[in-house]
Amino acid sequence: SHLERQQGGIGTRGGPGEAQIELDRRMIEDRIKSVKARLERVKKQRRTQRRARERNETFRVSLVGYTNAGKSTLLKILAEAETTDRGSVTRRRGLRLGYVPQAPVFDDSYTVEQVLEAAASNEHDPAERARRVAVTLGRTGFYDPYEPVGPLSGGWRKRLAIARELVTAPDLLLLDEPTNHLDLEGILWLEQLLGQNAPAFVVISHDRYFLENLTTRTIELDRRHAAGLFECNGKFSDFLEQRDL
């Protein structure tokens, strides 16, 4: 009819109006497929990132237990600072360890730069050694490389002990009560340092907030547990919840 012709053939099989509807339908389907494909790529990327994060977080370990449970002794054995009475420790070939004890010792006649240069002496390339020292001094807050060690406060001596190990580029960092002597600013600095581009680490600390913010696995040494220890993946609060079940 005249009305059907004016309306572009709507209602007429195969008319231009129906062809446009079919074209629109296909365009919508194509867009839906494209969106679904993008969503799937995003999901896959997030799964990959989560798995990588989980692999990395496996080695952010807190070691806890009552006083005299043997935490510091175990850390010293892992660091080869003490030997075990029985059993053995197996390490990956070429593994580089860094160990920060509770009471670090320095030659007080040195400057902070000299302490780090001595620690990095195994690096045979002078340019690379100088670069490591300069970068580590900056990361740990020592902006005067000629500052003498002797007058440093307890908190800054602890920072220097951490710097001394970081400059060696360790694969695994062992930290025994690293927040001791640090003020609030120092603790926040350490949290940021260990949370960003830090090596894998095992840490002993009584600071629950520090452990909650950083670690992703907790091991408790206690003879009351069947194997002498209890371990839990997750935050420190997850460990407390599962241990007390």
Side-chain angles (χ1 to χ4, degrees):
S1 67
H2 176 69
L3 177 61
E4 287 175 340
R5 288 195 298 272
Q6 282 187 330
Q7 293 176 340
I10 295 176
T12 304
R13 183 176 180 83
E18 186 171 316
Q20 184 62 45
I21 291 172
E22 178 65 17
L23 180 62
D24 290 345
R25 184 183 66 79
R26 290 181 180 178
M27 289 179 63
I28 291 171
E29 287 179 349
D30 289 342
R31 288 177 181 174
I32 290 173
K33 289 179 181 178
S34 177
V35 169
K36 285 182 176 180
R38 286 200 298 270
L39 287 174
E40 189 58 37
R41 287 196 295 270
V42 170
K43 288 180 181 178
K44 185 176 180 179
Q45 183 180 13
R46 288 181 175 175
R47 284 196 299 268
T48 301
Q49 291 173 343
R50 186 175 64 250
R51 288 168 184 164
R53 191 164 57 246
E54 288 171 351
R55 285 196 298 269
N56 291 335
E57 289 176 349
T58 302
F59 300 100
R60 298 170 67 172
V61 178
S62 59
L63 186 62
V64 300
Y66 293 106
T67 303
N68 298 323
K71 305 183 297 296
S72 293
T73 300
L74 176 57
L75 219 59
K76 289 175 182 176
I77 291 171
L78 293 176
E80 300 181 307
E82 285 190 11
T83 56
T84 178
D85 294 334
R86 56 183 177 177
S88 60
V89 178
T90 303
R91 298 177 182 83
R92 190 189 71 199
R93 180 176 298 178
L95 178 69
R96 292 175 297 186
L97 289 172
Y99 171 55
V100 180
Q102 286 193 41
V105 177
F106 302 99
D107 184 333
D108 287 350
S109 68
Y110 276 27
T111 65
V112 294
E113 183 180 54
Q114 287 173 325
V115 170
L116 268 60
E117 285 176 340
S121 60
N122 288 338
E123 174 54 61
H124 300 299
D125 182 348
E128 173 61 18
R129 184 166 60 248
R131 186 197 68 81
R132 278 194 198 176
V133 169
V135 169
T136 306
L137 285 171
R139 287 180 70 192
T140 50
F142 290 98
Y143 301 113
D144 179 6
Y146 306 110
E147 184 173 6
V149 171
L152 290 177
S153 67
W156 282 99
R157 292 176 81 89
K158 184 57 67 78
R159 283 196 188 217
L160 185 57
I162 294 168
R164 181 169 61 183
E165 302 309 317
L166 288 178
V167 78
T168 66
D171 300 309
L172 176 63
L173 190 59
L174 307 172
L175 303 142
D176 194 349
E177 296 289 358
T179 59
N180 282 4
H181 306 295
L182 292 179
D183 57 13
L184 179 58
E185 180 184 353
I187 293 173
L188 294 176
W189 159 80
L190 183 57
E191 285 186 10
Q192 184 178 23
L193 178 75
L194 294 177
Q196 298 177 352
N197 301 320
F201 63 83
V202 179
V203 60
I204 298 172
S205 178
H206 289 90
D207 187 332
R208 293 190 173 193
Y209 294 102
F210 178 78
L211 299 180
E212 178 72 12
N213 291 334
L214 277 178
T215 60
T216 56
R217 185 181 181 189
T218 300
I219 299 175
E220 181 182 50
L221 300 183
D222 193 323
R223 292 180 180 178
R224 292 178 299 176
H225 299 308
L229 59 85
F230 175 81
E231 57 183 311
C232 170
N233 290 325
K235 289 183 172 292
F236 187 72
S237 54
D238 297 321
F239 153 74
L240 293 175
E241 182 178 347
Q242 292 191 33
R243 184 194 62 179
D244 296 336
L245 288 177

